[in-house]
DNA sequence: TCCCTGTATCGCGGCGCTTT
DNA sequence: AAAGCGCCGCGATACAGGGA
């Protein structure tokens, strides 16, 4: 179906918003994002797009807009390399993530792949990162980068204990503070020489 | 007349605060 | 802890106006 400039703008906005935030926009988000002066205009054009089969709407729920096909967002299969602890660290053999192999895969949007040179996926076990909206059973996508900044959520290998854990990273002098995002859990503080950061979380996937 | 857009408003539901 | 209340976000719609 031919789209007006406004309809194309709305489609692009919905797609970008959904990719960036992981959930679809509201009518008012679209109104503001597309510089449209009225929600009725958004609704009118959404109806046209829905009639044309370009999106689906669930009117009984908020943010019930779903694009039926994505223009830019193909998916690529990424290996899921077993569980990573968001709780008490898991005992593991010393590992190099790049050498691991897996039969299990998840589909990750291509633009995420394109933004990072190397990525892998891990199943999350535990709830130490619940305040960062990372819950037990989620799949996190890690970028295997050494460029880590304070506040990044990282996969940290504790060398002395042969344990790997998912925590928020803070460098404090010669020590590293691995901060859980759970009010009931204490941070792990280790010498910088005793911890190896394997990568940082760049994407979160959750099934219902 | 039809298509498209804008203004204003309503009702629903979630959430947070206060009170009991 | 539960109930009551008000606020706010949100979707929906009635109605009016402009332009082809």
């Amino acid at each position: 179906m031919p789209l007006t400039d406004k309809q194309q703008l709305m489609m692009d906005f919905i797609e970008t918003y959904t990719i960036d935030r992981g959930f679809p926009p509201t009518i008012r988000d679209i109104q503001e994002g597309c510089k449209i002066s009225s929600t009725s205009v958004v609704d009118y054009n959404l109806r046209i797009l829905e009639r044309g089969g370009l999106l689906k709407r669930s009117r009984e729920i908020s943010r019930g807009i779903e694009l039926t096909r994505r223009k830019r967002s193909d998916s690529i299969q990424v290996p899921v390399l077993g569980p990573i602890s968001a709780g008490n660290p898991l005992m593991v053999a010393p590992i190099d993530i790049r050498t691991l192999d897996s039969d299990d895969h998840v589909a990750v949007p291509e633009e995420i792949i394109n933004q990072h040179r190397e990525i892998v996926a891990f199943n999350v076990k535990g709830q130490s990162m619940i305040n960062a909206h990372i819950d037990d059973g989620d799949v996190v996508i890690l970028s295997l980068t050494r460029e880590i900044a304070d506040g990044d959520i990282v996969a940290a290998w504790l060398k002395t204990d042969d344990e790997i854990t998912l925590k928020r990273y803070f460098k404090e002098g010669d020590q590293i503070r691995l901060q859980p995002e759970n009010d009931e859990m204490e941070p792990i503080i280790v010498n910088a020489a005793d911890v190896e950061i394997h990568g940082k979380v760049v994407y979160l996937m959750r099934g219902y």
Side-chain angles (χ1 to χ4, degrees):
Chain A
M1 62 176 283
L3 301 182
T4 64
D5 290 345
K6 187 158 289 183
Q7 289 160 5
Q8 187 59 60
L9 180 63
M10 286 172 56
M11 288 291 290
D12 290 344
F13 177 81
I14 294 168
E15 181 179 18
T16 302
Y17 188 105
T18 304
I19 291 169
D20 287 348
R21 309 197 185 196
F23 51 84
T26 65
I27 285 179
R28 280 174 174 77
D29 289 334
I30 300 170
Q31 177 192 358
E32 186 177 343
C34 298
K35 302 289 188 290
I36 296 170
S37 59
S38 168
T39 57
S40 69
V41 177
V42 178
D43 181 64
Y44 171 78
N45 286 289
L46 285 176
R47 287 173 188 272
I48 293 173
L49 294 169
E50 189 177 19
R51 277 205 306 270
L54 296 176
L55 54 81
K56 292 191 292 186
R57 299 175 73 185
S58 301
R59 296 176 194 279
E60 67 277 11
I61 61 173
S62 178
R63 300 181 185 272
I65 299 170
E66 179 188 357
L67 297 182
T68 54
R69 58 192 166 98
R70 289 184 168 185
K71 175 164 53 74
R72 287 180 279 146
S73 180
D74 292 333
S75 294
I76 291 178
Q77 296 294 313
V78 171
V80 180
L81 302 180
I84 187 168
S85 169
N88 295 322
L90 290 178
M91 294 297 292
V92 296
I95 61 170
D96 180 343
I97 283 178
R98 290 170 179 76
T99 68
L100 291 176
D101 197 8
S102 172
D103 294 331
D104 198 8
H105 290 72
V106 292
V108 177
E110 187 175 14
E111 55 267 26
I112 300 299
I113 310 283
N114 292 339
Q115 290 170 15
H116 306 280
R117 291 174 59 190
E118 291 181 280
I119 67 171
V120 295
F122 278 92
N123 286 314
V124 175
K125 298 295 179 190
Q127 293 190 310
S128 73
M129 300 303 289
I130 191 67
N131 290 346
H133 310 294
I134 299 175
D135 202 357
D136 185 71
D138 289 348
V139 174
V140 290
I141 308 300
L142 292 181
S143 172
L144 302 184
T145 176
R146 301 291 177 178
E147 297 173 11
I148 304 296
D150 277 0
D152 284 345
I153 297 174
V154 302
W157 174 35
L158 307 175
K159 297 179 184 177
T160 54
D161 302 321
D162 284 348
E163 296 171 344
I164 190 165
T165 187
L166 192 70
K167 295 288 182 292
R168 206 175 277 285
Y169 169 96
F170 294 95
K171 185 164 181 19
E172 297 176 339
D174 292 335
Q175 294 187 313
I176 303 296
R177 174 163 55 93
L178 299 172
Q179 181 71 42
E181 286 280 2
N182 185 321
D183 298 338
E184 298 177 358
M185 305 185 87
E186 297 297 321
I188 300 171
I189 298 175
V190 293
N191 290 325
D194 293 333
V195 63
E196 188 167 312
I197 306 302
H198 279 284
K200 65 180 180 182
V201 173
V202 295
Y203 197 70
L204 174 68
M205 307 179 75
R206 176 172 300 165
Y208 291 97

